[in-house]
Each structure stands twice: as C-alpha cells, then as structure tokens.
Amino acid sequence: MKINRFKAPLYVQFELTERCNNKCYFCYNPLGRISGNELNTQEVFNILTQLHDVGVFRINFNGGEPLMRSDFLEITEYAHSLGFELHMNTNSTLVTADLAKKVALYMKSVCTSVLSSDETLHDKMTGREGAYKDVFRGIDIWRENGVEVEVNVCTSTENYSDIYNIGELIAKHDCYALCSTRYILNSPENKHLLLNKTQTEELIDSLLKVKEELPIIRDVSLPGPVPYCEVGEEYYEKLRLLNVPCQYGYGLARVSPVGIVTPCTISDDEMGNLRTSAFLEVWLGDSWNKYANMCHIPNVCKECDELSKCRGGCVVYDQSMVSAGTSPDTKKWREAYG
C-alpha cells in the first residue's frame, strides 16, 4: 500500500522560536532542545516565499511562543501579502489590544491552551503563577478585536475528567472550538500522565457531551487521532465524529526555529535543512519514501478497514512510549510486536 504524496504540503507548521514565557512540564519542545541560532527575519521571509512558490496553502505559526519574537507582526504581514491562510498557536498571555487589532488584519483565528478549569492546576501545569488569569485576559482581548479563538487541551491523567468543565468555561469566553491532544510522552518519568483505554473512552464521551450541549463551541475534535483499536468497538462511530486523520509524511511539514524540516511538530525525524537546501528539494527528497510507503506504521494497520480514518493514530505517540521503554496498549501494537 502506498500513499500518493502531495506536490507540496497542504499546510506547514512554522515554529518561529522555542522561547516561551511558560514552562509547561509536558511540552514536547522545551527550551534548549534545538541547537543553533533562530532564523532571522530575512531567512523567514525567504522560506515563506519558497512555500508560496511550491503551492502551500496554509501556514500555522507556533513555537515556543510566537509573540516572543519582536518581528512577529512583520513576519505575519509578509506572509499575508503572499496570500497564505494564516493561523497561530499561542498561549495568549502576551497579547495586547493594540497587537490583537493588528493580528486581526492578517488572520481570522488563533489556537490557545487551556489546561484546567481550576486556576491552581492550570498554573501548576504551565509552570507559572498567574498564567490562568493571563490566558483568559488574552482570550477576551482576541475576541474583543474580532479574532476567533480555538482552545486546545493537552490532555493527561491530570485533566481528562475536566474536559466538560473546560468546555463550559471557554464557552463563556466565546471560544468557537475545543480540541484535545493527548499528552505525548516527553520523559519516562511522566508515564503516569498517559491515558489508559478507559480514560480515553471517558475523554471521548466528554468531548461529545461538549459537542451536544454547548452549541457555541462549533468544532470539537481529536487532532492527535486515537487509533480505533485502542478503544472498544462501540466507540468507533464516536471517533468518526472527533478524529482528525494524521497527515504525517504526505500532507504536512514542520519548519523548526532553525530551519530544520520534519514531518510534524512532534517529530525529530530530520528531512532537511532550509539553511542549506531549498524547500522543494527537501520535500521531494527520498527520505520521505518511507512515509509514502507507510513503513512508519505496523503492517497490521495497513490491513485494517479503519486505516483511512485514523492512519494508525499518532505515530509519534507510539514512538515516544517505545523510546521510554513501554508499549502502547493497542491491538495493532500487540499483533505487530507481541
């Protein structure tokens, strides 16, 4: 089985910096992991021009915290001038009314993190006292200036049972979307944060309850797709309403703060360096063949009727567990690797 890779990714996750004013202990991109100097303004412009020329449709700026860069507005204005649909992942704690007015000229929406409906737990998870008050102040500023707000919850054993409460809270702040990305293991010491089957099923039920009971939240999703074989068959139809199939290796690419291209924001698989190679050269390189040939997922997945719906789930979710000395509790993993 082979996937026909697009001539260019549908969208690119462009990490502008790894700097951040929060210190979330579950973050997959902690300060200091990336070596080298950040791309300067002109280097960012050059990469954006290349992405435009090959036909990329959408750019999602993230980090770190994109608003840590003093040239953020300059970069955003240039990207907008090229015709990209623009979006941003931000913790929303640094936004001001003046900044929001300007950002509203270039992008319709942003995604921000809310980790708990409880102020104390949210601040604990972000590693900074005051983060809870700051994020809701920021969300209100975005909305007052016409920018839509999507909320992402990095979901672990600490907060999965709080999803509906978070939904109620963000509905009061006029947020249009809620997505849950299950915690990706970034340290063997944090295995206790991973959801088991029962907790994952409870998370699915909570998300559907938000979808059914809070109409102001128009979009509810699981963008880090859950493999169908991780839950009971009675949950398959529920997952169809929530899962966002992974585009790992064929429709998505990430550019790191130093110009490294990887298949997604949580992958360390380096496909090329945009400081030494053109983006099209990297995108068409042989290194991607393993993804086109689906060598990155177990063979049992390729024979599954649900493959087109979940693409084997989140590839890096599994890889992170294996690298930490544990195994995913899924049928695909048990059948493929014992």
Side-chain angles (χ1 to χ4, degrees), residues 25-46:
Y25 56 76
F26 54 80
C27 185
Y28 61 84
N29 189 26
L31 184 65
R33 182 173 71 90
I34 298 172
S35 60
N37 296 323
E38 287 180 359
L39 298 166
N40 62 39
T41 308
Q42 194 55 52
E43 286 177 309
V44 172
F45 284 2
N46 178 49

Side-chain angles (χ1 to χ4, degrees), residues 127-185:
R128 184 173 66 83
E129 185 176 351
Y132 180 93
K133 288 185 173 66
D134 287 346
V135 71
F136 282 103
R137 176 193 57 81
I139 288 172
D140 291 342
I141 290 174
W142 289 125
R143 294 303 298 123
E144 289 163 4
N145 289 279
V147 179
E148 296 264 28
V149 178
E150 171 186 9
V151 167
N152 176 63
V153 183
C154 179
T155 311
S156 70
T157 54
E158 288 194 316
N159 61 358
Y160 78 97
S161 61
D162 194 33
I163 288 292
Y164 187 80
N165 296 331
I166 293 173
E168 286 188 312
L169 179 59
I170 67 172
K172 293 176 183 176
H173 288 265
D174 197 29
C175 299
Y176 83 97
L178 173 66
C179 60
S180 166
T181 51
R182 294 191 302 167
Y183 165 67
I184 303 288
L185 193 61

Side-chain angles (χ1 to χ4, degrees), residues 10 225 295 333:
L10 295 175
C295 296
W333 197 263

Side-chain angles (χ1 to χ4, degrees), residues 203-270:
L203 168 64
I204 292 168
D205 286 333
S206 294
L207 288 169
L208 289 176
K209 186 178 179 182
V210 170
K211 189 178 183 72
E212 293 165 5
E213 297 184 4
L214 301 173
I216 193 171
I217 302 178
R218 307 187 300 275
D219 185 11
V220 181
S221 64
L222 280 163
V226 174
Y228 284 68
C229 62
E230 188 175 335
V231 297
E233 290 188 14
E234 68 274 18
Y235 277 83
Y236 286 13
E237 291 302 320
K238 295 179 180 182
L239 273 183
R240 293 187 214 287
L241 299 174
L242 297 172
N243 259 359
V244 179
C246 180
Q247 297 182 34
Y248 198 87
Y250 75 98
L252 166 68
R254 166 249 198 166
V255 177
S256 83
V258 295
I260 302 297
V261 178
T262 68
C264 79
T265 55
I266 51 178
S267 172
D268 290 325
D269 191 4
E270 295 189 12

